[in-house]
Amino acid sequence: MAMSEGLIVPPGGGRKIVTKAQEVTFKVTGDHSRTGSLFEVVVPPGFDVGAHVHTRSEEIFYVLEGELDLLAFEPDERSPQDWRSWRAADGSAPARAGAGSCMFVPAGCPHAFTNPHDTPARMLFLSAPPPDHERYFEELLEILGTGVPDEAAVAHLREKYDIQQITPLRYDARRTQ
């Protein structure tokens, strides 16, 4: 597709990757846009992406269905185990976000999301610039689709795609089946 042509993606459209751990539908990719990638992500119960930082990319998360716990600030202290207890000097704390909530994450800002409920949540995810997050999601879902994630493989993947992991990625494979 030429970059001067628009794109209309119908409901249910896009390139979908489904594993036991997660479901991602690529709506707009680096093949379509020089400025951003847009995905629809189903976040399974118990999934926690872990707090992390990107030095080069910005992200926007928009909750479509369900609730997620979200983090987008620099804490007083980056404890390596659980970001949900983090607090910032200004009193900021992770927030419970329902449908219609939006989170913007500039480059260099620690951020995370988790689904603390027993039902899946859905979010729209915009990442700029493309295509690093597209490739990262493709490779991560391949790793997570095998059952218990290979922590070394996830660590290598995150290093490859400019992701400094602060707290671990977690998910309960029993809750995603």
Side-chain angles (χ1 to χ4, degrees):
M1 167 184 272
M3 286 284 193
S4 61
E5 294 183 28
L7 174 68
I8 298 172
V9 182
R15 185 169 58 88
K16 187 177 285 192
I17 300 175
V18 180
T19 70
K20 290 179 183 179
Q22 209 165 18
E23 178 180 314
V24 174
T25 304
F26 297 94
K27 300 289 189 174
V28 177
T29 67
D31 292 338
H32 311 109
S33 171
R34 289 183 288 269
T35 59
S37 301
L38 182 69
F39 322 128
E40 184 176 332
V41 179
V42 175
V43 183
F47 184 88
D48 179 351
V49 73
H52 59 281
V53 175
H54 310 281
T55 61
R56 296 186 304 265
S57 63
E58 294 186 340
E59 298 172 321
I60 297 173
F61 300 83
Y62 185 87
V63 180
L64 297 168
E65 288 178 2
E67 286 186 327
L68 297 171
D69 288 346
L70 303 176
L71 165 83
F73 61 83
E74 183 64 56
D76 283 336
E77 181 183 344
R78 290 184 180 186
S79 57
Q81 292 306 312
D82 188 359
W83 58 267
R84 289 173 290 182
S85 63
W86 288 8
R87 300 294 179 266
D90 69 0
S92 295
R96 178 73 38 99
S101 298
C102 182
M103 175 173 77
F104 168 68
V105 181
C109 178
H111 58 288
F113 63 85
T114 188
N115 180 352
H117 298 292
D118 290 329
T119 57
R122 282 186 331 115
M123 71 175 172
L124 207 54
F125 171 65
L126 176 67
S127 174
D132 277 2
H133 272 76
E134 297 161 40
R135 293 184 182 135
Y136 170 74
F137 267 109
E138 290 169 339
E139 293 179 42
L140 177 65
L141 292 177
E142 189 174 307
I143 293 168
L144 296 180
T146 62
V148 178
D150 176 341
E151 291 184 28
V154 172
H156 173 74
L157 184 64
R158 290 191 165 203
E159 183 177 319
K160 178 180 175 182
Y161 289 109
D162 180 41
I163 301 169
Q164 176 197 353
Q165 197 68 30
I166 304 167
T167 67
L169 178 146
R170 295 183 174 111
Y171 82 98
D172 184 344
R174 295 166 298 178
R175 291 176 73 185
T176 60
Q177 296 178 9

